[in-house]
Amino acid sequence: MNATVRLVCLPYAGGGADVYRPWASVLPAGGELIAPELPGHGRRLPEQPLDRAEDVVADLLPRLGDPSTPLVVFGHSMGGLLAYEVCDALDRLSTPPQALVISAMGPPDLVEPAVSRALAEDPEALLDHVASLGSTPSPVLADPGMRALVLRPLQADFRLLGRARRTEVREVPVPLYTFAGDQDPVHPAHEVAGWQRHARRWGGLQVLPGDHFFPWHSDSVPRFLGGLVRSVAAGRTPAAVPPHDRYGTS
């Protein structure tokens, strides 16, 4: 298929590309889903996981396809920070995406690195944290062999988050849309709203029902992304503010 627009979806800490594959069904004809696997994760499990955002971005850029094809970049949780860094890197190459969408993640100037660093160095606390969020099935965490496999990429990802804080505000030149869960204990909506300072073209914050993994509780986020891809393919962008914006966008 010759894609007219590519939707790039970047994973949360410890997550693999497979979590996004069902979202391909929401894309219009000509839309293509790219869900890159990070080193040390999923199908790339034998590789050494990377624990610096700049190294992950360097691995990602060659796998985003033809730079002349318009991109919409989405990231959830840690993937939101990576999406922001990818957008910045593409802009520096004079090939910015058409839109950036971030969910369940605050901006780099609001990241609390000490918490992530402490979890990265305490395997049991890290696995307990992951178990409390419900992203990893309980039988996986109960099996010692599987726990060891899960832990390796998780520790690398949390080391990455522990290095992610930046005090400067770097605006992205493309429309920036954000989502938050109304019961998210990790990155609450008021923190996600902080991305407005990083947006030259703020698309608003939509707060949805759910915890940290709210995009998988309903089809609201993938449907929004599908509509965004459809709009970009038609040469336009969606309305500036998604509905039910609870945090001002003035």
Side-chain angles (χ1 to χ4, degrees):
M1 177 184 71
N2 293 322
T4 55
V5 180
R6 291 190 171 98
L7 171 64
V8 177
C9 293
L10 302 179
Y12 50 83
D18 285 347
V19 298
Y20 290 122
R21 303 216 183 275
W23 292 14
S25 65
V26 305
L27 298 182
E32 179 185 3
L33 175 72
I34 297 181
E37 200 80 84
L38 303 187
H41 297 66
R43 294 181 175 90
R44 300 179 69 184
L45 193 63
E47 299 179 37
Q48 180 66 31
L50 304 175
D51 57 11
R52 293 182 182 274
E54 58 266 34
D55 295 333
V56 175
V57 171
D59 178 84
L60 286 170
L61 290 181
R63 296 189 289 122
L64 301 184
D66 182 353
S68 67
T69 300
L71 293 179
V72 171
V73 181
F74 169 82
H76 180 78
S77 197
M78 179 191 76
L81 282 178
L82 294 177
Y84 172 67
E85 296 292 348
V86 164
C87 182
D88 184 62
L90 289 171
D91 185 44
R92 293 172 191 271
L93 295 170
S94 300
T95 56
Q98 300 300 302
L100 173 62
V101 186
I102 293 173
S103 78
M105 188 71 221
D109 54 308
L110 297 182
V111 167
E112 294 293 343
V115 175
S116 294
R117 287 198 298 265
L119 286 171
E121 301 311 316
D122 187 337
E124 291 304 315
L126 178 55
L127 290 171
D128 287 346
H129 174 70
V130 170
S132 72
L133 296 177
S135 62
T136 304
S138 297
V140 171
L141 295 176
D143 181 270
M146 293 301 295
R147 282 166 66 91
L149 289 177
V150 167
L151 187 60
R152 182 170 172 260
L154 265 177
Q155 284 183 296
D157 290 346
F158 273 78
R159 290 191 189 103
L160 184 154
L161 290 169
R163 297 183 170 115
R165 184 171 176 82
R166 298 177 184 267
T167 55
E168 79 275 19
V169 172
R170 294 179 301 173
E171 289 185 341
V172 294
V174 304
L176 171 56
Y177 305 89
T178 56
F179 287 86
D182 64 357
Q183 301 297 317
D184 187 348
V186 184
H187 295 287
H190 66 83
E191 181 182 317
V192 180
W195 281 108
Q196 183 172 0
R197 297 190 303 278
H198 297 259
R200 199 173 304 163
R201 300 166 64 188
W202 177 239
L205 167 66
Q206 186 171 349
V207 182
L208 298 174
D211 55 23
H212 189 60
F213 290 97
F214 65 89
W216 288 272
H217 298 340
S218 75
D219 64 352
S220 295
V221 173
R223 278 195 299 107
F224 175 85
L225 293 171
L228 188 54
V229 167
R230 187 175 293 106
S231 294
V232 170
R236 61 182 190 274
T237 55
V241 181
H244 314 304
D245 184 4
R246 286 174 40 185
Y247 293 84
T249 58
S250 59

